[in-house]
PDB file of all heavy atoms in Angstrom:
ATOM      1  N   ASP C  40      15.952  -0.211  -9.307  1.00 83.00           N
ATOM      2  CA  ASP C  40      15.879   1.196  -9.161  1.00 83.00           C
ATOM      3  C   ASP C  40      14.472   1.694  -9.146  1.00 83.00           C
ATOM      4  O   ASP C  40      14.238   2.919  -8.974  1.00 83.00           O
ATOM      5  CB  ASP C  40      16.676   1.884 -10.379  1.00 83.00           C
ATOM      6  CG  ASP C  40      16.052   1.511 -11.731  1.00 83.00           C
ATOM      7  OD1 ASP C  40      15.253   0.616 -11.727  1.00 83.00           O
ATOM      8  OD2 ASP C  40      16.476   2.203 -12.739  1.00 83.00           O
ATOM      9  N   THR C  41      13.455   0.804  -9.208  1.00 86.00           N
ATOM     10  CA  THR C  41      12.090   1.236  -9.092  1.00 86.00           C
ATOM     11  C   THR C  41      11.458   0.949  -7.682  1.00 86.00           C
ATOM     12  O   THR C  41      10.329   1.307  -7.460  1.00 86.00           O
ATOM     13  CB  THR C  41      11.237   0.564 -10.171  1.00 86.00           C
ATOM     14  OG1 THR C  41      11.151  -0.859  -9.945  1.00 86.00           O
ATOM     15  CG2 THR C  41      11.815   0.860 -11.474  1.00 86.00           C
ATOM     16  N   ILE C  42      12.239   0.281  -6.803  1.00 93.00           N
ATOM     17  CA  ILE C  42      11.702  -0.200  -5.538  1.00 93.00           C
ATOM     18  C   ILE C  42      11.613   1.002  -4.582  1.00 93.00           C
ATOM     19  O   ILE C  42      12.651   1.635  -4.302  1.00 93.00           O
ATOM     20  CB  ILE C  42      12.591  -1.291  -4.943  1.00 93.00           C
ATOM     21  CG1 ILE C  42      12.651  -2.477  -5.928  1.00 93.00           C
ATOM     22  CG2 ILE C  42      12.043  -1.733  -3.564  1.00 93.00           C
ATOM     23  CD1 ILE C  42      13.539  -3.576  -5.454  1.00 93.00           C
ATOM     24  N   PRO C  43      10.391   1.336  -4.028  1.00 93.00           N
ATOM     25  CA  PRO C  43      10.283   2.429  -3.122  1.00 93.00           C
ATOM     26  C   PRO C  43      10.604   2.086  -1.680  1.00 93.00           C
ATOM     27  O   PRO C  43      10.696   0.856  -1.313  1.00 93.00           O
ATOM     28  CB  PRO C  43       8.820   2.864  -3.231  1.00 93.00           C
ATOM     29  CG  PRO C  43       8.136   1.529  -3.575  1.00 93.00           C
ATOM     30  CD  PRO C  43       9.118   0.735  -4.344  1.00 93.00           C
ATOM     31  N   THR C  44      10.715   3.050  -0.803  1.00 94.00           N
ATOM     32  CA  THR C  44      10.928   2.846   0.613  1.00 94.00           C
ATOM     33  C   THR C  44       9.629   2.677   1.334  1.00 94.00           C
ATOM     34  O   THR C  44       8.624   3.286   0.969  1.00 94.00           O
ATOM     35  CB  THR C  44      11.739   4.027   1.167  1.00 94.00           C
ATOM     36  OG1 THR C  44      13.003   4.215   0.507  1.00 94.00           O
ATOM     37  CG2 THR C  44      11.983   3.854   2.673  1.00 94.00           C
ATOM     38  N   ILE C  45       9.635   1.819   2.285  1.00 94.00           N
ATOM     39  CA  ILE C  45       8.393   1.569   3.111  1.00 94.00           C
ATOM     40  C   ILE C  45       7.849   2.918   3.656  1.00 94.00           C
ATOM     41  O   ILE C  45       8.613   3.757   4.111  1.00 94.00           O
ATOM     42  CB  ILE C  45       8.715   0.619   4.286  1.00 94.00           C
ATOM     43  CG1 ILE C  45       7.469   0.236   5.033  1.00 94.00           C
ATOM     44  CG2 ILE C  45       9.756   1.230   5.255  1.00 94.00           C
ATOM     45  CD1 ILE C  45       6.584  -0.707   4.235  1.00 94.00           C
ATOM     46  N   GLY C  46       6.546   3.100   3.581  1.00 91.00           N
ATOM     47  CA  GLY C  46       5.863   4.297   4.055  1.00 91.00           C
ATOM     48  C   GLY C  46       5.790   5.478   3.072  1.00 91.00           C
ATOM     49  O   GLY C  46       5.087   6.414   3.336  1.00 91.00           O
ATOM     50  N   SER C  47       6.501   5.286   1.957  1.00 93.00           N
ATOM     51  CA  SER C  47       6.510   6.346   1.012  1.00 93.00           C
ATOM     52  C   SER C  47       5.208   6.282   0.154  1.00 93.00           C
ATOM     53  O   SER C  47       4.454   5.252   0.179  1.00 93.00           O
ATOM     54  CB  SER C  47       7.754   6.275  -0.001  1.00 93.00           C
ATOM     55  OG  SER C  47       7.660   5.057  -0.754  1.00 93.00           O
ATOM     56  N   ARG C  48       4.905   7.346  -0.635  1.00 94.00           N
ATOM     57  CA  ARG C  48       3.618   7.395  -1.291  1.00 94.00           C
ATOM     58  C   ARG C  48       3.577   6.242  -2.360  1.00 94.00           C
ATOM     59  O   ARG C  48       2.456   5.654  -2.637  1.00 94.00           O
ATOM     60  CB  ARG C  48       3.431   8.756  -2.017  1.00 94.00           C
ATOM     61  CG  ARG C  48       4.484   9.067  -2.991  1.00 94.00           C
ATOM     62  CD  ARG C  48       4.189  10.380  -3.759  1.00 94.00           C
ATOM     63  NE  ARG C  48       5.234  10.692  -4.723  1.00 94.00           N
ATOM     64  CZ  ARG C  48       5.308  10.149  -5.901  1.00 94.00           C
ATOM     65  NH1 ARG C  48       4.363   9.307  -6.324  1.00 94.00           N
ATOM     66  NH2 ARG C  48       6.301  10.527  -6.749  1.00 94.00           N
ATOM     67  N   ARG C  49       4.658   5.842  -3.020  1.00 94.00           N
ATOM     68  CA  ARG C  49       4.658   4.808  -3.976  1.00 94.00           C
ATOM     69  C   ARG C  49       4.487   3.444  -3.362  1.00 94.00           C
ATOM     70  O   ARG C  49       4.286   2.437  -4.121  1.00 94.00           O
ATOM     71  CB  ARG C  49       5.996   4.881  -4.794  1.00 94.00           C
ATOM     72  CG  ARG C  49       6.100   6.121  -5.637  1.00 94.00           C
ATOM     73  CD  ARG C  49       7.286   6.098  -6.563  1.00 94.00           C
ATOM     74  NE  ARG C  49       7.277   4.875  -7.455  1.00 94.00           N
ATOM     75  CZ  ARG C  49       8.261   3.960  -7.450  1.00 94.00           C
ATOM     76  NH1 ARG C  49       9.268   4.032  -6.710  1.00 94.00           N
ATOM     77  NH2 ARG C  49       8.088   2.929  -8.336  1.00 94.00           N
ATOM     78  N   ALA C  50       4.605   3.332  -2.054  1.00 94.00           N
ATOM     79  CA  ALA C  50       4.437   2.055  -1.374  1.00 94.00           C
ATOM     80  C   ALA C  50       2.994   1.964  -0.819  1.00 94.00           C
ATOM     81  O   ALA C  50       2.766   1.200   0.089  1.00 94.00           O
ATOM     82  CB  ALA C  50       5.449   1.861  -0.249  1.00 94.00           C
ATOM     83  N   ARG C  51       2.100   2.619  -1.485  1.00 94.00           N
ATOM     84  CA  ARG C  51       0.670   2.488  -1.109  1.00 94.00           C
ATOM     85  C   ARG C  51      -0.168   2.467  -2.369  1.00 94.00           C
ATOM     86  O   ARG C  51       0.213   3.032  -3.392  1.00 94.00           O
ATOM     87  CB  ARG C  51       0.225   3.722  -0.250  1.00 94.00           C
ATOM     88  CG  ARG C  51       0.939   3.814   1.125  1.00 94.00           C
ATOM     89  CD  ARG C  51       0.324   4.973   1.853  1.00 94.00           C
ATOM     90  NE  ARG C  51       0.934   5.052   3.181  1.00 94.00           N
ATOM     91  CZ  ARG C  51       0.625   4.358   4.250  1.00 94.00           C
ATOM     92  NH1 ARG C  51      -0.385   3.523   4.132  1.00 94.00           N
ATOM     93  NH2 ARG C  51       1.186   4.508   5.409  1.00 94.00           N
ATOM     94  N   PRO C  52      -1.337   1.848  -2.312  1.00 95.00           N
ATOM     95  CA  PRO C  52      -2.178   1.871  -3.491  1.00 95.00           C
ATOM     96  C   PRO C  52      -2.840   3.212  -3.695  1.00 95.00           C
ATOM     97  O   PRO C  52      -2.970   3.989  -2.749  1.00 95.00           O
ATOM     98  CB  PRO C  52      -3.300   0.882  -3.141  1.00 95.00           C
ATOM     99  CG  PRO C  52      -3.360   0.845  -1.626  1.00 95.00           C
ATOM    100  CD  PRO C  52      -1.930   1.124  -1.112  1.00 95.00           C
ATOM    101  N   GLY C  53      -3.192   3.538  -4.904  1.00 91.00           N
ATOM    102  CA  GLY C  53      -3.934   4.756  -5.197  1.00 91.00           C
ATOM    103  C   GLY C  53      -3.071   5.784  -5.816  1.00 91.00           C
ATOM    104  O   GLY C  53      -3.511   6.722  -6.562  1.00 91.00           O
ATOM    105  N   ASP C  54      -1.789   5.806  -5.575  1.00 91.00           N
ATOM    106  CA  ASP C  54      -0.842   6.799  -6.110  1.00 91.00           C
ATOM    107  C   ASP C  54      -0.644   6.475  -7.599  1.00 91.00           C
ATOM    108  O   ASP C  54      -0.633   5.373  -8.020  1.00 91.00           O
ATOM    109  CB  ASP C  54       0.484   6.797  -5.365  1.00 91.00           C
ATOM    110  CG  ASP C  54       1.398   7.959  -5.839  1.00 91.00           C
ATOM    111  OD1 ASP C  54       1.308   9.037  -5.201  1.00 91.00           O
ATOM    112  OD2 ASP C  54       2.255   7.793  -6.772  1.00 91.00           O
ATOM    113  N   LEU C  55      -0.525   7.522  -8.433  1.00 91.00           N
ATOM    114  CA  LEU C  55      -0.343   7.368  -9.849  1.00 91.00           C
ATOM    115  C   LEU C  55       0.896   6.571 -10.146  1.00 91.00           C
ATOM    116  O   LEU C  55       1.029   5.849 -11.180  1.00 91.00           O
ATOM    117  CB  LEU C  55      -0.322   8.753 -10.567  1.00 91.00           C
ATOM    118  CG  LEU C  55      -1.618   9.483 -10.666  1.00 91.00           C
ATOM    119  CD1 LEU C  55      -1.461  10.864 -11.316  1.00 91.00           C
ATOM    120  CD2 LEU C  55      -2.666   8.667 -11.439  1.00 91.00           C
ATOM    121  N   ASP C  56       1.877   6.674  -9.305  1.00 92.00           N
ATOM    122  CA  ASP C  56       3.171   5.982  -9.495  1.00 92.00           C
ATOM    123  C   ASP C  56       3.392   4.883  -8.531  1.00 92.00           C
ATOM    124  O   ASP C  56       4.551   4.507  -8.275  1.00 92.00           O
ATOM    125  CB  ASP C  56       4.329   7.006  -9.451  1.00 92.00           C
ATOM    126  CG  ASP C  56       5.588   6.507 -10.076  1.00 92.00           C
ATOM    127  OD1 ASP C  56       5.497   5.708 -10.975  1.00 92.00           O
ATOM    128  OD2 ASP C  56       6.702   6.941  -9.677  1.00 92.00           O
ATOM    129  N   SER C  57       2.296   4.286  -7.945  1.00 95.00           N
ATOM    130  CA  SER C  57       2.382   3.303  -6.980  1.00 95.00           C
ATOM    131  C   SER C  57       3.029   1.970  -7.589  1.00 95.00           C
ATOM    132  O   SER C  57       2.773   1.701  -8.762  1.00 95.00           O
ATOM    133  CB  SER C  57       1.006   2.917  -6.370  1.00 95.00           C
ATOM    134  OG  SER C  57       1.162   1.835  -5.449  1.00 95.00           O
ATOM    135  N   ILE C  58       3.690   1.195  -6.736  1.00 94.00           N
ATOM    136  CA  ILE C  58       4.223  -0.067  -7.232  1.00 94.00           C
ATOM    137  C   ILE C  58       3.183  -1.164  -7.189  1.00 94.00           C
ATOM    138  O   ILE C  58       3.432  -2.282  -7.702  1.00 94.00           O
ATOM    139  CB  ILE C  58       5.422  -0.536  -6.389  1.00 94.00           C
ATOM    140  CG1 ILE C  58       5.045  -0.663  -4.901  1.00 94.00           C
ATOM    141  CG2 ILE C  58       6.554   0.380  -6.580  1.00 94.00           C
ATOM    142  CD1 ILE C  58       5.977  -1.533  -4.088  1.00 94.00           C
ATOM    143  N   VAL C  59       1.996  -0.908  -6.625  1.00 94.00           N
ATOM    144  CA  VAL C  59       0.892  -1.936  -6.560  1.00 94.00           C
ATOM    145  C   VAL C  59      -0.324  -1.430  -7.212  1.00 94.00           C
ATOM    146  O   VAL C  59      -0.499  -0.268  -7.442  1.00 94.00           O
ATOM    147  CB  VAL C  59       0.610  -2.349  -5.043  1.00 94.00           C
ATOM    148  CG1 VAL C  59       1.844  -2.919  -4.341  1.00 94.00           C
ATOM    149  CG2 VAL C  59       0.146  -1.107  -4.257  1.00 94.00           C
ATOM    150  N   THR C  60      -1.151  -2.357  -7.584  1.00 93.00           N
ATOM    151  CA  THR C  60      -2.455  -2.060  -8.244  1.00 93.00           C
ATOM    152  C   THR C  60      -3.361  -1.293  -7.283  1.00 93.00           C
ATOM    153  O   THR C  60      -3.198  -1.345  -6.111  1.00 93.00           O
ATOM    154  CB  THR C  60      -3.110  -3.344  -8.709  1.00 93.00           C
ATOM    155  OG1 THR C  60      -3.294  -4.180  -7.505  1.00 93.00           O
ATOM    156  CG2 THR C  60      -2.264  -4.136  -9.724  1.00 93.00           C
ATOM    157  N   ASP C  61      -4.373  -0.663  -7.880  1.00 94.00           N
ATOM    158  CA  ASP C  61      -5.336   0.155  -7.089  1.00 94.00           C
ATOM    159  C   ASP C  61      -6.109  -0.671  -6.126  1.00 94.00           C
ATOM    160  O   ASP C  61      -6.577  -0.135  -5.148  1.00 94.00           O
ATOM    161  CB  ASP C  61      -6.163   0.912  -8.018  1.00 94.00           C
ATOM    162  CG  ASP C  61      -5.568   2.123  -8.693  1.00 94.00           C
ATOM    163  OD1 ASP C  61      -4.392   2.527  -8.186  1.00 94.00           O
ATOM    164  OD2 ASP C  61      -6.120   2.690  -9.669  1.00 94.00           O
ATOM    165  N   TRP C  62      -6.303  -1.963  -6.480  1.00 94.00           N
ATOM    166  CA  TRP C  62      -7.107  -2.808  -5.631  1.00 94.00           C
ATOM    167  C   TRP C  62      -6.342  -3.515  -4.535  1.00 94.00           C
ATOM    168  O   TRP C  62      -6.876  -4.209  -3.684  1.00 94.00           O
ATOM    169  CB  TRP C  62      -7.884  -3.809  -6.432  1.00 94.00           C
ATOM    170  CG  TRP C  62      -6.972  -4.565  -7.393  1.00 94.00           C
ATOM    171  CD1 TRP C  62      -6.246  -5.604  -7.152  1.00 94.00           C
ATOM    172  CD2 TRP C  62      -6.919  -4.313  -8.811  1.00 94.00           C
ATOM    173  NE1 TRP C  62      -5.569  -6.077  -8.297  1.00 94.00           N
ATOM    174  CE2 TRP C  62      -6.002  -5.276  -9.350  1.00 94.00           C
ATOM    175  CE3 TRP C  62      -7.494  -3.350  -9.696  1.00 94.00           C
ATOM    176  CZ2 TRP C  62      -5.625  -5.301 -10.591  1.00 94.00           C
ATOM    177  CZ3 TRP C  62      -7.143  -3.406 -10.922  1.00 94.00           C
ATOM    178  CH2 TRP C  62      -6.209  -4.316 -11.470  1.00 94.00           C
ATOM    179  N   SER C  63      -5.072  -3.311  -4.513  1.00 95.00           N
ATOM    180  CA  SER C  63      -4.233  -3.945  -3.382  1.00 95.00           C
ATOM    181  C   SER C  63      -4.547  -3.335  -2.049  1.00 95.00           C
ATOM    182  O   SER C  63      -4.848  -2.044  -1.948  1.00 95.00           O
ATOM    183  CB  SER C  63      -2.687  -3.750  -3.659  1.00 95.00           C
ATOM    184  OG  SER C  63      -2.306  -4.480  -4.869  1.00 95.00           O
ATOM    185  N   VAL C  64      -4.462  -4.016  -1.012  1.00 96.00           N
ATOM    186  CA  VAL C  64      -4.903  -3.568   0.300  1.00 96.00           C
ATOM    187  C   VAL C  64      -3.747  -2.613   0.808  1.00 96.00           C
ATOM    188  O   VAL C  64      -2.563  -2.865   0.564  1.00 96.00           O
ATOM    189  CB  VAL C  64      -5.028  -4.750   1.295  1.00 96.00           C
ATOM    190  CG1 VAL C  64      -3.721  -5.522   1.472  1.00 96.00           C
ATOM    191  CG2 VAL C  64      -5.530  -4.219   2.640  1.00 96.00           C
ATOM    192  N   ASP C  65      -4.231  -1.505   1.383  1.00 97.00           N
ATOM    193  CA  ASP C  65      -3.216  -0.610   2.034  1.00 97.00           C
ATOM    194  C   ASP C  65      -2.595  -1.267   3.274  1.00 97.00           C
ATOM    195  O   ASP C  65      -3.273  -1.867   4.076  1.00 97.00           O
ATOM    196  CB  ASP C  65      -3.908   0.727   2.400  1.00 97.00           C
ATOM    197  CG  ASP C  65      -2.993   1.671   3.063  1.00 97.00           C
ATOM    198  OD1 ASP C  65      -2.852   1.712   4.308  1.00 97.00           O
ATOM    199  OD2 ASP C  65      -2.508   2.535   2.277  1.00 97.00           O
ATOM    200  N   PRO C  66      -1.258  -1.143   3.479  1.00 97.00           N
ATOM    201  CA  PRO C  66      -0.623  -1.785   4.597  1.00 97.00           C
ATOM    202  C   PRO C  66      -1.271  -1.396   5.953  1.00 97.00           C
ATOM    203  O   PRO C  66      -1.443  -2.322   6.802  1.00 97.00           O
ATOM    204  CB  PRO C  66       0.802  -1.280   4.550  1.00 97.00           C
ATOM    205  CG  PRO C  66       1.000  -0.973   3.120  1.00 97.00           C
ATOM    206  CD  PRO C  66      -0.302  -0.520   2.630  1.00 97.00           C
ATOM    207  N   ASP C  67      -1.580  -0.127   6.148  1.00 97.00           N
ATOM    208  CA  ASP C  67      -2.155   0.349   7.456  1.00 97.00           C
ATOM    209  C   ASP C  67      -3.581  -0.265   7.568  1.00 97.00           C
ATOM    210  O   ASP C  67      -4.046  -0.680   8.684  1.00 97.00           O
ATOM    211  CB  ASP C  67      -2.220   1.774   7.616  1.00 97.00           C
ATOM    212  CG  ASP C  67      -0.759   2.401   7.754  1.00 97.00           C
ATOM    213  OD1 ASP C  67       0.129   1.599   8.186  1.00 97.00           O
ATOM    214  OD2 ASP C  67      -0.596   3.580   7.400  1.00 97.00           O
ATOM    215  N   ASP C  68      -4.319  -0.279   6.498  1.00 98.00           N
ATOM    216  CA  ASP C  68      -5.683  -0.873   6.531  1.00 98.00           C
ATOM    217  C   ASP C  68      -5.687  -2.339   6.864  1.00 98.00           C
ATOM    218  O   ASP C  68      -6.571  -2.885   7.517  1.00 98.00           O
ATOM    219  CB  ASP C  68      -6.401  -0.651   5.216  1.00 98.00           C
ATOM    220  CG  ASP C  68      -6.858   0.830   4.937  1.00 98.00           C
ATOM    221  OD1 ASP C  68      -6.910   1.585   5.950  1.00 98.00           O
ATOM    222  OD2 ASP C  68      -7.226   1.133   3.815  1.00 98.00           O
ATOM    223  N   TRP C  69      -4.638  -3.056   6.364  1.00 98.00           N
ATOM    224  CA  TRP C  69      -4.403  -4.459   6.696  1.00 98.00           C
ATOM    225  C   TRP C  69      -4.300  -4.625   8.166  1.00 98.00           C
ATOM    226  O   TRP C  69      -4.865  -5.540   8.770  1.00 98.00           O
ATOM    227  CB  TRP C  69      -3.247  -5.052   5.870  1.00 98.00           C
ATOM    228  CG  TRP C  69      -2.926  -6.478   6.160  1.00 98.00           C
ATOM    229  CD1 TRP C  69      -1.656  -6.946   6.687  1.00 98.00           C
ATOM    230  CD2 TRP C  69      -3.684  -7.614   6.058  1.00 98.00           C
ATOM    231  NE1 TRP C  69      -1.716  -8.266   6.798  1.00 98.00           N
ATOM    232  CE2 TRP C  69      -2.940  -8.746   6.465  1.00 98.00           C
ATOM    233  CE3 TRP C  69      -5.055  -7.801   5.619  1.00 98.00           C
ATOM    234  CZ2 TRP C  69      -3.429 -10.065   6.474  1.00 98.00           C
ATOM    235  CZ3 TRP C  69      -5.580  -9.138   5.593  1.00 98.00           C
ATOM    236  CH2 TRP C  69      -4.745 -10.207   6.066  1.00 98.00           C
ATOM    237  N   GLY C  70      -3.493  -3.845   8.799  1.00 98.00           N
ATOM    238  CA  GLY C  70      -3.298  -3.962  10.241  1.00 98.00           C
ATOM    239  C   GLY C  70      -4.590  -3.661  10.950  1.00 98.00           C
ATOM    240  O   GLY C  70      -4.934  -4.392  11.895  1.00 98.00           O
ATOM    241  N   ARG C  71      -5.334  -2.601  10.550  1.00 98.00           N
ATOM    242  CA  ARG C  71      -6.591  -2.275  11.226  1.00 98.00           C
ATOM    243  C   ARG C  71      -7.615  -3.354  11.032  1.00 98.00           C
ATOM    244  O   ARG C  71      -8.353  -3.677  11.936  1.00 98.00           O
ATOM    245  CB  ARG C  71      -7.178  -0.885  10.741  1.00 98.00           C
ATOM    246  CG  ARG C  71      -6.324   0.259  11.276  1.00 98.00           C
ATOM    247  CD  ARG C  71      -6.978   1.517  10.805  1.00 98.00           C
ATOM    248  NE  ARG C  71      -6.726   1.947   9.482  1.00 98.00           N
ATOM    249  CZ  ARG C  71      -5.704   2.700   9.141  1.00 98.00           C
ATOM    250  NH1 ARG C  71      -4.894   3.274   9.953  1.00 98.00           N
ATOM    251  NH2 ARG C  71      -5.552   2.992   7.815  1.00 98.00           N
ATOM    252  N   PHE C  72      -7.646  -4.030   9.856  1.00 98.00           N
ATOM    253  CA  PHE C  72      -8.498  -5.107   9.595  1.00 98.00           C
ATOM    254  C   PHE C  72      -8.257  -6.290  10.506  1.00 98.00           C
ATOM    255  O   PHE C  72      -9.209  -6.839  11.113  1.00 98.00           O
ATOM    256  CB  PHE C  72      -8.380  -5.583   8.126  1.00 98.00           C
ATOM    257  CG  PHE C  72      -9.307  -6.691   7.707  1.00 98.00           C
ATOM    258  CD1 PHE C  72     -10.540  -6.378   7.102  1.00 98.00           C
ATOM    259  CD2 PHE C  72      -8.918  -8.029   7.822  1.00 98.00           C
ATOM    260  CE1 PHE C  72     -11.348  -7.437   6.784  1.00 98.00           C
ATOM    261  CE2 PHE C  72      -9.780  -9.043   7.453  1.00 98.00           C
ATOM    262  CZ  PHE C  72     -11.006  -8.759   6.910  1.00 98.00           C
ATOM    263  N   LEU C  73      -6.991  -6.642  10.659  1.00 98.00           N
ATOM    264  CA  LEU C  73      -6.603  -7.766  11.497  1.00 98.00           C
ATOM    265  C   LEU C  73      -6.965  -7.443  12.962  1.00 98.00           C
ATOM    266  O   LEU C  73      -7.499  -8.323  13.677  1.00 98.00           O
ATOM    267  CB  LEU C  73      -5.095  -8.069  11.375  1.00 98.00           C
ATOM    268  CG  LEU C  73      -4.654  -8.685  10.031  1.00 98.00           C
ATOM    269  CD1 LEU C  73      -3.158  -8.838  10.024  1.00 98.00           C
ATOM    270  CD2 LEU C  73      -5.382  -9.978   9.765  1.00 98.00           C
ATOM    271  N   ILE C  74      -6.678  -6.260  13.390  1.00 98.00           N
ATOM    272  CA  ILE C  74      -6.966  -5.881  14.819  1.00 98.00           C
ATOM    273  C   ILE C  74      -8.436  -6.009  15.092  1.00 98.00           C
ATOM    274  O   ILE C  74      -8.852  -6.576  16.114  1.00 98.00           O
ATOM    275  CB  ILE C  74      -6.426  -4.452  15.085  1.00 98.00           C
ATOM    276  CG1 ILE C  74      -4.946  -4.543  15.157  1.00 98.00           C
ATOM    277  CG2 ILE C  74      -6.961  -4.001  16.493  1.00 98.00           C
ATOM    278  CD1 ILE C  74      -4.277  -3.148  15.236  1.00 98.00           C
ATOM    279  N   ALA C  75      -9.260  -5.423  14.230  1.00 98.00           N
ATOM    280  CA  ALA C  75     -10.734  -5.432  14.463  1.00 98.00           C
ATOM    281  C   ALA C  75     -11.376  -6.810  14.383  1.00 98.00           C
ATOM    282  O   ALA C  75     -12.130  -7.187  15.299  1.00 98.00           O
ATOM    283  CB  ALA C  75     -11.408  -4.498  13.390  1.00 98.00           C
ATOM    284  N   THR C  76     -10.899  -7.596  13.427  1.00 98.00           N
ATOM    285  CA  THR C  76     -11.469  -8.972  13.336  1.00 98.00           C
ATOM    286  C   THR C  76     -10.931  -9.862  14.473  1.00 98.00           C
ATOM    287  O   THR C  76     -11.654 -10.775  15.010  1.00 98.00           O
ATOM    288  CB  THR C  76     -11.154  -9.596  11.996  1.00 98.00           C
ATOM    289  OG1 THR C  76      -9.781  -9.508  11.696  1.00 98.00           O
ATOM    290  CG2 THR C  76     -11.907  -8.879  10.876  1.00 98.00           C
TER     291      THR C  76
END
């Protein structure tokens, strides 16, 4: 009952109620990192 939907605020780092730690990579940033490198 705590699992969020993809793209929601809780499925990103930085939110007070996020499911991941603050240092976890943001999913969109991961994509941009891979594309650039």
Side-chain angles (χ1 to χ4, degrees):
D40 60 351
T41 66
I42 301 175
T44 302
I45 188 73
S47 65
R48 60 175 181 80
R49 294 186 59 237
R51 295 183 178 279
D54 188 88
L55 289 175
D56 199 27
S57 176
I58 59 161
V59 295
T60 57
D61 286 346
W62 49 80
S63 294
V64 64
D65 181 271
D67 291 336
D68 285 346
W69 175 238
R71 286 188 283 265
F72 181 93
L73 290 177
I74 290 170
T76 53

